[in-house]
Every structure is written in structure tokens, then in C-alpha cells.
Amino acid sequence: MKKLALHWQILLGMVMGVLFAIMVINVGVPKEENVLFAQENKIEWLKLLSEKTKVEGELSETKSHFDSKKMSFNEFYTKKEELESSIRILSDKIKKVESNIVIPESKGRNFIRNWIKPFGNIFINLLKLIAVPLILASLIKGVSDLKDISKLSKMGGRTIGLYILTTVFAVSIGLTVVNIIKPGSYISEETRTELVGSYSNDANSKIEAAENQKKAGPLQALEDIVPSNIIGASADNGNMLQVIFFAIFFGIALILIPTELATPVKAFFDGFNEAILKMIDIIMLAAPFGVFALLASLVAESPSFDLFKALGMYGLTVVFGLALLIVFYLFLVRILTKKNHKFFLNGIAPAQLLAFSTSSSAATLPVTMERVVDNLGVDDEVASFVLPIGATINMDGTSLYQAVAAVFIAQAFGMELSFGVQLGIIATATLASIGSAAVPGAGMVMLVIVLAQAGIPEAGLALIFAIDRPLDMCRTTVNVTGDAAVSMIVAKSVDKLE
């Protein structure tokens, strides 16, 4: 019997994971009266939250009236004390109700979280485990095999140029789509209040992380590329650029030293690289089971369907934009490499499905490199240089999402963004994507920076948290597809494509 292709195995694992979760999550559901009690408390909580927001707005208006000398000090002080007292009372009531708004979970959901999800986490950890060793081995091998530093600068210039070009195009697609569809106009004030209240803590943590980044100097990104300790840099997948810097530096040093001294070092890294590739083969045997666990846990932990409906138009806008971006990649591959779309998609499909399941470009990198070399005909020395850089700085899907999310939040708050502001979003999203770590959720931190640049309320981040994970899966798939397309184009330009 013919063995099922890897991408079909992964796809089957994903479908089985979703179906399994749908069947299991309703097992051992809590008593109806407990659910109704929690829902009633949530309605009360939303009313109190809306009332508190209204009083805070009134307090702000009172302060502006006093500043513009429209009321006396005595009037202002009395009104201020009254409003602040109301806010304190409402805050106390909100805290009391908050403890009763959590709907009890079913036994099925708990089973998936405690007994299925850990296997998905183990699978992701295995992929991340070999990401840094793979970059070190393949990049050192690839750079040292060039034998000429001028070839490196030629390849590097084309790689970075293409990545920036595709990122700018991605942001432009995002802005075009969101301005035509206007998904923010579909959000009611009630839904907006509920989302801001439910996800404000998550949003605040991302805003805080972005604030720390904004405090850094203008050359901090450049400074962060050079590691002070390669062992420390290698210990964190978020420091990919530092590992890449060291690997390229080390590879250049091997080119410059005498051949007889470089040969044994190169032989070591050749063997090391082969061992890592074999580890990838072994890990991929577990891929269908890993994605089964990841998709099952995603379904079990997803928010209520009502929230998905409320944010449906926003989600569809992002997905439509990402689909257009993939069409753009296929067009580039067809025009610049003369390879058809079927060849490209069949070759990269397992990496796309894995990217969708893990939401991590870094975790998918080992599989992306294997597919690009073995199935798309890209020479090993090009793939080992282009793809690790792409996994770090090429975040086209993330950039498109940031553009859509920024304008969506502005629309939801009734803000009009000028053409100049939207041009600023293109520049900021492009630069932010370069610093976006290749791990799940990093795009959210970068989005805060984009929102701040455009003058959009950062608290609006809470509006999109509910469906961020599914969209993160989609945009990571596009990021990986873009990396593969650029590697083919660069390989073709230097006569290294079969």
C-alpha cells in the first residue's frame, strides 16, 4: 500500500483533532443553573462597566470645563468628588461581580487541556529544540561553501531587498482591503464594551511590553543584532538575529583562513548539519499526532461562538488579504522562476500546514528548509542563508494583519485615518515586522507600536484578542510561504535553482 504523503498526514491529523475536540468538549457540561448564574452576572458586569466608562468620560469632561474656565473651583471640586466617589463604588461592584462571571468548564475541555494539549506542546518544543542548531550548522556551512565574500553580499542584498519589497506590498494589500470592506463598522458599541472589558488585562500586558521597546534608542535594533554571549543568544529562539549574525561572521572567518585549517571545521559542521536533518525526519514522524493535539486544544480553548460572529467580518478581511498575498507570491514565482503554482504549493504544503498548526515560523523553519531544498530545487547554500533570515525579518502576513487591525480598531472607535497616517502605518508596520520575533503572539506587541504611531487608542487591542490565535495561524502560514517564494527567486537569480 502506497504511503500517504506527509501533507495529507498532517491535514488528516488537523481534521481529526478538530472533530475529536468538538465531540469531547460537550462531555460533562456544567449544570444549566450554574451557566445561567454566570451569564446573568456577566450581563450585570457589562452594565456596570459601561456605566463606569460613562462616569469616567463625564469626569474627563468636567476637568476640561474647569481648565477652560467654564466652571468655578467650588463647582469643579464638588462635581469631581461626586464623580470619583461614583467610580470607586462602581469599581467595587465590578470586582464583586467579576468573581461570578466565569462559566464553569466541561470535563471534556479539562481533559483536552490536561491530557491532550501537553503532547502538542512537546511537539512544538521538539521543533524549537533543533531550530537554533539548524541555523548555526546550515548557515555556517552555506556561507563557508561560497568561498567568495562578494557572493555573500550579492545574495544578502537581493534577499533583504526582496523581503522589504514583499512586506511593503503586504501592508498595502492590508490597507486596501480594510478600507474597502470597513469591518470596524460591523462592531456594535455593546460588543466593543464587552471585548474591551474581557480582554483588557491581555491588552495591557502587550502595551506594557511595547512601552519597554519604545523606550529604547533609535539604534537599539542594530545593537541587539550583535550578541554579547553566543551561548546565551542560542538559549532563546527570540534571539534568532543574534544567532544568524554569529553564524554569518563565523562562516566568513572560515572563508578567510587557510583551506587546510578550515577543512576539518567545515567537515564537523557538515556532519552536524546532516545529524540535525535526520532529527527533523524523526520528529516529522510524529507530526500528525502533534498537530492533532494542537488543533484539539485550540478548539477546546477558543472563545464563545458569539464573539467569533461579532468579529467575523474582521477575521474574513484578514484572511482575504492573506489569500491575495499568497496569489502575489505565486505570481512572483511564476514570472521570476518559471515554476508553476502546483509545483510550488505541492512542495511547500507540509511546511504551510505545520506553520498553521504551530503559529511559529521558528518552529517550522527546519521543515521549511527541508522542503525548499528537497522539493523546490533550491540549492542548500541559498536555502541555508535565505530562510533563517526570512524566519526572523520576513513577516509579511504579520505586517498585513497589523495594517488591517490598526484600521479596524480606528473604525470601531469611529476614527477617520488620513492618507498620510496610513502611509505612516506602511512604514511602521514594515519596520516593526523586522523586529518581530518568530514566535506566537509577537505580532501583538508590534501592533501596539503601529497603533501608537497612528494615534489610535492602544486599549483597542482588546477588540481583536478573541480571535487572534486562529488569525496568527493563518498569517504564520503566509510568512512561511513568503520565505519559500523569496528563496526560490534568490536561487534563480544566482543560478542555484534546479
Side-chain angles (χ1 to χ4, degrees):
M1 184 179 173
K2 190 179 177 183
K3 188 181 177 183
L4 205 60
L6 180 61
H7 60 277
W8 287 116
Q9 291 181 40
I10 294 173
L11 193 58
L12 189 61
M14 291 167 67
V15 172
M16 294 294 287
V18 172
L19 293 176
F20 173 79
I22 290 170
M23 288 188 293
V24 170
I25 56 176
N26 290 319
V27 174
V29 291
K31 291 179 181 178
E32 192 176 345
E33 57 263 32
N34 292 340
V35 175
L36 287 172
F37 177 71
Q39 287 174 340
E40 286 169 4
N41 275 284
K42 189 163 188 179
I43 292 167
E44 179 65 21
W45 176 72
L46 286 171
K47 284 180 183 174
L48 290 168
L49 200 66
S50 178
E51 198 176 332
K52 184 187 172 188
T53 304
K54 201 179 291 182
V55 175
E56 285 173 339
E58 201 176 333
L59 179 61
S60 178
E61 194 178 329
T62 302
K63 285 177 180 176
S64 65
H65 281 172
F66 177 69
D67 290 338
S68 57
K69 298 180 180 177
K70 289 182 180 177
M71 66 167 54
S72 66
F73 176 76
N74 287 337
E75 286 177 319
F76 166 70
Y77 185 78
T78 306
K79 186 75 172 173
K80 177 174 167 289
E81 285 293 304
E82 182 188 319
L83 292 172
E84 284 179 347
S85 174
S86 298
I87 290 170
R88 281 194 298 272
I89 292 166
L90 287 168
S91 296
D92 289 339
K93 286 182 179 179
I94 287 169
K95 281 179 184 175
K96 285 176 185 175
V97 176
E98 255 176 352
S99 59
N100 297 317
I101 64 171
V102 179
I103 297 174
E105 281 197 334
S106 69
K107 291 177 181 177
R109 287 182 191 272
N110 279 328
F111 173 78
I112 290 174
R113 180 179 287 112
N114 295 326
W115 296 97
I116 302 295
K117 186 180 179 181
F119 291 102
N121 292 339
I122 289 168
F123 178 63
I124 291 179
N125 289 342
L126 282 171
L127 289 168
K128 288 181 176 179
L129 172 71
I130 58 172
V132 169
L134 178 67
I135 288 173
L136 277 171
S138 61
L139 205 47
I140 289 170
K141 179 182 179 297
V143 172
S144 61
D145 284 348
L146 291 172
K147 299 183 178 65
D148 184 357
I149 295 176
S150 63
K151 287 183 182 177
L152 180 66
S153 61
K154 182 180 178 182
M155 197 189 301
R158 290 178 184 182
T159 299
I160 293 169
L162 274 168
Y163 281 147
I164 292 173
L165 179 70
T166 57
T167 301
V168 170
F169 190 81
V171 180
S172 303
I173 287 177
L175 288 175
T176 303
V177 169
V178 75
N179 279 296
I180 291 171
I181 298 175
K182 298 187 185 302
S185 61
Y186 293 84
I187 294 286
S188 66
E189 190 175 342
E190 185 183 330
T191 304
R192 189 179 74 193
T193 304
E194 181 181 352
L195 289 168
V196 170
S198 301
Y199 294 93
S200 58
N201 289 337
D202 294 320
N204 289 337
S205 67
K206 300 295 181 184
I207 291 168
E208 194 177 322
E211 282 298 322
N212 292 334
Q213 287 204 355
K214 283 192 279 187
K215 286 174 186 173
L219 295 179
Q220 187 64 45
L222 184 64
E223 186 182 335
D224 288 343
I225 291 174
V226 183
S228 59
N229 184 331
I230 186 55
I231 305 299
S234 303
D236 182 2
N237 281 350
N239 294 328
M240 285 287 193
L241 273 177
Q242 295 185 347
V243 176
I244 290 168
F245 174 84
F246 175 81
I248 293 173
F249 198 9
F250 194 93
I252 291 170
L254 282 178
I255 295 172
L256 297 175
I257 64 174
T259 306
E260 63 273 15
L261 295 175
T263 301
V265 180
K266 287 176 68 176
F268 166 76
F269 279 106
D270 285 350
F272 187 59
N273 191 49
E274 287 301 316
I276 295 295
L277 294 175
K278 181 51 66 178
M279 288 175 73
I280 296 170
D281 291 339
I282 296 168
I283 292 169
M284 288 312 292
L285 294 174
F289 305 101
V291 297
F292 171 90
L294 289 168
L295 266 292
S297 61
L298 176 75
V299 172
E301 294 176 350
S302 60
S304 69
F305 186 65
D306 291 339
L307 282 182
F308 276 103
K309 282 196 295 185
L311 293 169
M313 194 54 71
Y314 161 68
L316 287 173
T317 305
V318 174
V319 171
F320 179 60
L322 294 174
L324 288 178
L325 191 52
I326 287 182
V327 171
F328 172 66
Y329 292 143
L330 296 176
F331 174 75
L332 285 182
V333 168
R334 179 68 180 172
I335 298 298
L336 300 176
T337 71
K338 310 302 179 188
K339 302 287 186 182
N340 64 47
H341 66 278
K342 191 175 179 182
F343 169 82
F344 176 74
L345 291 174
N346 283 344
I348 199 62
Q352 289 177 316
L353 292 171
L354 205 61
F356 183 80
S357 304
T358 61
S359 296
S360 173
S361 301
T364 312
L365 180 60
V367 181
T368 309
M369 291 185 72
E370 186 181 49
R371 300 300 298 184
V372 164
V373 173
D374 296 343
N375 296 79
L376 297 183
V378 176
D379 190 272
D380 190 40
E381 69 181 40
V382 175
S384 62
F385 178 79
V386 175
L387 292 174
I389 293 174
T392 311
I393 70 168
N394 184 46
M395 299 287 172
D396 292 350
T398 304
S399 301
L400 183 147
Y401 139 82
Q402 287 172 348
V404 173
V407 178
F408 165 76
I409 291 168
Q411 290 170 351
F413 280 100
M415 295 172 64
E416 285 289 333
L417 298 181
S418 67
F419 180 70
V421 169
Q422 297 200 34
L423 282 179
I425 289 175
I426 293 177
T428 311
T430 302
L431 293 171
S433 75
I434 294 171
S436 193
V439 294
M444 271 287 187
V445 177
M446 296 299 112
L447 177 57
V448 177
I449 296 170
V450 175
L451 293 176
Q453 177 276 328
I456 300 166
E458 293 163 3
L461 200 67
L463 294 177
I464 59 174
F465 254 101
I467 61 168
D468 181 63
R469 185 58 198 270
L471 293 180
D472 195 7
M473 295 160 76
C474 295
R475 61 186 186 252
T476 304
T477 306
V478 173
N479 291 343
V480 167
T481 307
D483 294 345
V486 169
S487 71
M488 287 185 72
I489 295 166
V490 172
K492 181 69 175 178
S493 73
V494 293
D495 297 320
K496 295 284 185 179
L497 183 68
E498 290 178 10

